[in-house]
Amino acid sequence: MNPSEQNQETNRLYSIAFGLSIFTIIYNIIEGLIATYFGYEDETLALFGFGVDSFIEALSGFGIAHMIMRIRRNDNTVRDDFERTALHVTGYSFFVLAAGLCISAVINTLTNHKPETTFWGVIIALVSIVVMIALMMAKNNVGRQLKSEAIIADSRCTTICIYMSVVLLISSALYELTNLAFIDTLATLGLAYFSYREGKECFAKAKSNLVCGCD
């Protein structure tokens, strides 16, 4: 491959990486709207919290899209002010969500609140798992072809979204089978834990130029 063809291929791969980041933003917004709607309608805190987390993931996606444009221009540049600000805003959002979920879980426990149904939690979680695994594989593939640690790291960070989807799937399925109120509460606390981890990760990245600390 001559230099001109190599440059065209590199630009094509960066365009794919940027397109994947935009798709991630749009998907998370749609997922957030659907999950919060059904979470509110069915009175399932876990699904509602999952939806709010999706909105925060969409916010985080803008920082990722900006990062891809930055390294496309110059792969040797370090994280800029826009990315650090985005990480701080996202980090605080995750911490607020984690606190809100914990408080709501306590209230649900005290009032013995039960969801009307968690059927939509099962469906949304299944779709999310499939989409997130596909995104992780696609981002990792592009990152490896570009030899970009930043894009590969972003693909690894997608795993925490998969974990949250699995928590929602298991809890929603178990509640449908058992109708036990505490299952939705336990799932909510699980989501709060992962939200806290994501917030902590954001602040860790904002303080350094490491591409990711997801490991």
Side-chain angles (χ1 to χ4, degrees):
M1 186 180 294
N2 61 49
S4 176
E5 292 175 334
Q6 186 174 8
N7 186 57
Q8 289 180 357
E9 178 64 10
T10 299
N11 285 330
R12 185 185 73 85
L13 290 170
Y14 271 118
S15 295
I16 293 174
F18 184 75
L20 289 171
S21 69
I22 297 301
F23 174 81
T24 303
I25 294 171
I26 295 172
Y27 173 79
N28 275 305
I29 291 174
I30 294 173
E31 181 181 75
L33 289 170
I34 296 173
T36 52
Y37 171 78
F38 283 109
Y40 178 80
E41 286 293 309
D42 298 337
E43 298 184 14
T44 163
L45 182 57
L47 181 56
F48 186 84
F50 184 83
V52 175
D53 177 83
S54 296
F55 288 130
I56 302 175
E57 296 289 355
L59 178 63
S60 174
F62 286 102
I64 299 298
H66 177 82
M67 177 200 73
I68 292 172
M69 290 190 293
R70 171 176 60 79
I71 62 177
R72 182 175 188 170
R73 292 190 296 267
N74 187 349
D75 193 28
N76 294 319
T77 57
V78 296
R79 186 171 288 117
D80 59 21
D81 290 340
F82 179 90
E83 290 173 59
R84 294 184 194 280
T85 300
L87 285 167
H88 280 123
V89 172
T90 306
Y92 281 121
S93 298
F94 278 127
F95 282 161
V96 170
L97 174 60
L101 290 176
C102 287
I103 293 171
S104 299
V106 171
I107 294 173
N108 273 10
T109 300
L110 294 175
T111 59
N112 196 35
H113 177 79
K114 297 174 65 174
E116 292 184 9
T117 178
T118 54
F119 170 78
W120 286 107
V122 174
I123 302 301
I124 292 169
L126 283 172
V127 173
S128 181
I129 289 171
V130 172
V131 172
M132 287 300 121
I133 289 177
L135 275 173
M136 180 179 66
M137 294 174 64
K139 290 179 180 181
N140 184 65
N141 182 51
V142 172
R144 290 187 181 281
Q145 291 185 68
L146 286 168
K147 296 181 174 62
S148 171
E149 286 298 323
I151 295 175
I152 293 173
D154 177 42
S155 73
R156 290 201 301 267
C157 288
T158 306
T159 56
I160 198 165
C161 299
I162 298 174
Y163 296 154
M164 295 180 79
S165 299
V166 170
V167 169
L168 178 64
L169 174 61
I170 293 174
S171 64
S172 297
L174 285 176
Y175 181 81
E176 283 295 292
L177 293 172
T178 65
N179 204 38
L180 296 174
F182 73 88
I183 292 176
D184 189 61
T185 301
L186 286 178
T188 300
L189 292 175
L191 295 179
Y193 166 73
F194 284 117
S195 295
Y196 171 78
R197 275 188 56 185
E198 288 193 282
K200 187 177 178 181
E201 170 69 22
C202 287
F203 284 107
K205 287 194 289 185
K207 290 179 181 178
S208 72
N209 288 315
L210 296 176
V211 290
C212 188
C214 304
D215 295 337

